[in-house]
Structures are given as structure tokens and as C-alpha cells.
Amino acid sequence: MRKPMMAGNWKMNNNWAESVVLAQQLSNRYDERWEDVEVVLCPPAIDIKAVYSVLEFDRREEVVKVGGQNCHWEASGAFTGEISIPMLQAVGATHCIIGHSERRGYFGETDMDVNKKVKALLAAHMTPIVCCGESLGVRDSGDYIEFITKQVSAAFAGLEPAEVKKCVVAYEPIWAIGTGRTATPEQAEEACGAIRASIAEEFGADTADAIRILYGGSMKPANVEGLIAMEDIDGGLIGGAALKADDFVKLVEACL
Ligand code: PEP
């Protein structure tokens, strides 16, 4: 049985005070059943400490985890503007989103960068949430399954099966991110199933059975049920709906 995950990607929204308010609203809604879900909040890096402090004060930090939205693969050095993995860990982060389509599209992040980040996170015992997903152009070309599985294979290049098991994949079709246009459960399942099958081929059936695969792209309370009912979808990576406590709580509770 794979433990479902609901991860919130707050993107470049909320200053530290606004992040504290949202974290507190979520913490106030916590109930014990959340222990059956891996709940992860990924605020802007500068807000992580404040969010973690709210959770720690309320003794939620074992259940509600915090994560980065990006990291550098080097531990320190002359990389102006970057955030290292030890820095994320020092403020309580246990997870990190890697290779989000906005990082790839706006900041030129490559498959090779993603692979280096995955390896560095695993070496630091953090959980990489590795994003993949096709643009509308690639979908319309018909080659989207090949495109997505290649991204996943490149992210995991050189890893042992036991390491791949510790990662999480988030399938996020770019045409569904922030657009309000969600993939249908069948479209999302086709992609997530293909990702699992390609992991089975490369790293073995055990690894494919163990790894969590999330769907992301305009997931919200109104469409979550159909998506997470799918066999190969183990939860969600949530943008817009993660900024509203009510919506995010409903998404976590949909996993129970
Ligand atoms: C995301 O960017 O990871 C995402 C899924 O965004 P949204 O839920 O807003 O589509």
C-alpha cells in the first residue's frame, strides 16, 4: 500500500506573515486522520522557517512536512541567489519539488540539472518530488507518453532501485497548470500508468509498486475524487488550491 501524498506548492505567493496565517489556519484544521496522508507544504524558501515554526509549536511537524520548491545541488559556494539543501534542512524542510515546469520553462532547468538535484537530495536523506509533464504542443503531436517517460528516466539516471523508491513523481501536464483546465481522470491515469510501467521496466516491478506518483494541474475539491480514485494516482501536487486553507484541507481529506 502506498501512502497518499498531498503537497502544496505555494509558488511565489505569500510573504512570511501571510504564510504564517495560512500555516496556522491549516494547523487549526488538523485532525489525527491526517497521519494516513503525507501532507507537505512548500512555501517560498524565505517563509519555510516561519511555517515550520507554526507546525512545530502546534506539534504537527511529524505529520505536516515542509519542503522547498527548488534547490541547488552543491552544498555551498558562489551561486548567487541559490538555496542549498543544507540550508533547506536547517529550517526544517524534508522534501523538495524538483524540475517544476515553471523552473524548466522560465529558468532553463534541464533534465541534467534535475538529475543532479535528485541525487543531492537523496544523499541528504530528503524526498525529491520530481515533476514531469508535456506542453499542449507535445500532447497534440501524440508523442506525450514518450516525452514524459523520457523526462522521468533522465531524472533517475544512475540511481539504484532503492533510491528511486524514495522519490515521488508528479505528473503535471503544462496545459493544466494554473489554467483551470484539468486532465480528465482517464488522461491523468494514462500518463501516471505509463510512468509506473516505464519505472518497472528500468528499475523493476518492486520499485514501480512502491513509488508514489502524483497528479498536478488545477486539482481542486471539485475534481479530486475522480483523479485520486485512479489506480496509479497516489495524491496531488497542488498550486492554486493550496493557497486556500479550506480547499487544501478538503484535498487532504479526499485521500483518507
Ligand atoms: C503546480 O504548479 O504545481 C500546480 C499544480 O498548479 P495548479 O494547481 O494551480 O494548476
Side-chain angles (χ1 to χ4, degrees), residues 9 11 100 102 172 176-180 216-219 237-241:
N9 173 13
K11 309 196 187 194
H100 190 281
E102 287 153 18
E172 301 206 306
I177 295 180
T179 58
S218 300
M219 195 189 253
L237 179 56
I238 314 300

Side-chain angles (χ1 to χ4, degrees), residues 69-91:
Q69 299 173 11
N70 180 34
C71 66
H72 198 278
W73 55 85
E74 293 289 345
S76 63
F79 299 102
T80 302
E82 291 291 313
I83 309 274
S84 76
I85 292 167
M87 290 170 189
L88 289 174
Q89 288 183 303
V91 288

Side-chain angles (χ1 to χ4, degrees), residues 52-244:
Y52 183 78
S53 298
V54 170
L55 299 170
E56 193 182 30
F57 185 82
D58 288 352
R59 306 219 169 117
R60 311 282 193 238
E61 81 282 7
E62 292 296 324
V63 176
V64 182
K65 304 289 189 179
V66 294
Q69 299 173 11
N70 180 34
C71 66
H72 198 278
W73 55 85
E74 293 289 345
S76 63
F79 299 102
T80 302
E82 291 291 313
I83 309 274
S84 76
I85 292 167
M87 290 170 189
L88 289 174
Q89 288 183 303
V91 288
T94 49
H95 294 63
C96 191
I97 299 168
I98 295 297
H100 190 281
S101 59
E102 287 153 18
R103 299 286 329 158
R104 295 178 192 256
Y106 301 141
F107 304 103
E109 202 162 295
T110 65
D111 282 341
M112 213 185 284
D113 296 334
V114 171
N115 180 243
K116 285 195 258 186
K117 293 177 187 199
V118 169
K119 286 177 175 162
L121 285 163
L122 289 170
H125 307 290
M126 284 182 71
T127 303
I129 303 174
V130 181
C131 301
C132 63
E134 81 288 0
S135 63
L136 199 50
V138 172
R139 174 151 285 259
D140 289 344
S141 76
D143 293 335
Y144 54 95
I145 295 293
E146 195 191 342
F147 180 89
I148 301 158
T149 51
K150 270 195 179 154
Q151 277 185 326
V152 174
S153 177
F156 292 158
L159 296 191
E160 295 297 327
E163 294 177 306
V164 174
K165 278 184 194 172
K166 294 179 187 158
C167 298
V168 176
V169 174
Y171 166 61
E172 301 206 306
I174 297 169
W175 46 271
I177 295 180
T179 58
R181 180 181 163 188
T182 325
T184 63
E186 292 72 24
Q187 285 173 322
E189 173 62 15
E190 182 197 23
C192 294
I195 292 167
R196 203 178 298 287
S198 76
I199 292 173
E201 215 171 280
E202 239 188 298
F203 298 98
D206 255 24
T207 306
D209 273 351
I211 192 168
R212 268 100 40 99
I213 303 178
L214 314 180
Y215 168 77
S218 300
M219 195 189 253
K220 48 185 183 268
N223 59 29
V224 64
E225 300 286 352
L227 288 159
I228 61 163
M230 292 288 148
E231 192 180 328
D232 289 299
I233 301 179
D234 303 312
L237 179 56
I238 314 300
L243 296 171
K244 295 176 212 132

